[in-house]
Amino acid sequence: SAFTTVRTALAIPTWCFNIWGLIVVTQAASVVKSVAADDANELSQTQITMTTVANFLAARIVTSANPLRETALTAIASGYALRKCGDGQAFTMHKAPLQLMASFTTIVAVLGTCSTFASRVSFINEQAASVLEVLSYYVIATRKDSGTVTKAVDAGVAGGLFYTLIKGGLSFSMNAASVVKGLTAVGAAVVTFEAVNRLRKAVFDE
């Protein structure tokens, strides 16, 4: 919960942030594999350096006065590290921690940026900001260069957002707030379907 400091109009379920625990576990597994492996399967100096930088920035999210900035920097650093490691979207134990980190922080950074932008524009209220975040998430979830790990993160968080939107029920009143909330829920359902379908194809059809 210490990482849940970035403000977003769409409520990201707290359990989604357990991904940081998974990142720690996969990093530990990567180190163990590197120690036990032959030279060809060891962590490279570039991977070690880039992972250290990304971890440093990720740790700053918790204590920073501007967690959105640190989240965005973490997304950039971890994404850059993957590109430096060749085919960054191909799954390996050494790349998995950065893939998880880059995918999740990108989602949080994009949603947080949308929320911040909306808060500074007087005619955009929180309901409209939710629609903007759903549209942005659709772009994230349907980008073509995503690997299996990224698709899994996209699908998991999208499902969490959709569940949060509908768990309290939807109003069928014709006031503006209810209509916008309904449209947001429909949009989130579409995003979740697309994300899950892309994950299914990555796992079973490729």
Side-chain angles (χ1 to χ4, degrees):
S1 62
F3 286 93
T4 62
T5 51
V6 176
R7 182 183 180 279
T8 59
L10 294 173
I12 302 175
T14 303
W15 58 262
C16 287
F17 290 87
N18 290 331
I19 194 170
W20 289 106
L22 181 59
I23 290 170
V24 171
V25 170
T26 53
Q27 284 187 350
S30 175
V31 171
V32 170
K33 181 180 179 182
S34 180
V35 170
D38 54 37
D39 291 345
N41 291 314
E42 288 183 350
L43 281 165
S44 68
Q45 188 58 51
T46 299
Q47 288 174 316
I48 294 171
T49 301
M50 293 296 184
T51 300
T52 301
V53 171
N55 286 343
F56 172 76
L57 292 169
R60 286 177 56 85
I61 296 173
V62 178
T63 58
S64 175
N66 189 343
L68 175 57
R69 179 191 63 199
E70 306 303 336
T71 302
L73 289 174
T74 302
I76 292 169
S78 51
Y80 177 75
L82 286 171
R83 288 191 293 274
K84 289 289 287 183
C85 295
D87 185 4
Q89 292 300 334
F91 175 80
T92 68
M93 182 55 68
H94 292 329
K95 292 178 182 178
L98 287 172
Q99 289 170 335
L100 291 167
M101 188 184 298
S103 303
F104 186 69
T105 53
T106 296
I107 293 170
V108 177
V110 169
L111 298 186
T113 299
C114 290
S115 181
T116 300
F117 169 76
S119 69
R120 295 178 180 177
V121 179
S122 59
F123 60 85
I124 301 181
N125 57 24
E126 187 168 355
Q127 286 79 20
S130 297
V131 175
L132 179 61
E133 290 184 12
V134 167
L135 292 174
S136 299
Y137 203 131
Y138 182 83
V139 174
I140 293 173
T142 57
R143 61 193 189 276
K144 294 182 178 180
D145 60 344
S146 301
T148 303
V149 173
T150 297
K151 289 174 182 176
V153 174
D154 290 345
V157 178
L161 292 175
F162 176 62
Y163 172 76
T164 300
L165 281 168
I166 66 171
K167 71 175 182 179
L170 296 174
S171 172
F172 293 96
S173 302
M174 294 308 294
N175 60 68
S178 295
V179 170
V180 173
K181 183 177 181 181
L183 289 174
T184 303
V186 170
V190 171
V191 173
T192 302
F193 173 81
E194 287 290 340
V196 171
N197 192 46
R198 285 165 58 82
L199 174 62
R200 178 190 63 78
K201 289 180 179 179
V203 172
F204 297 107
D205 297 347
E206 294 182 4

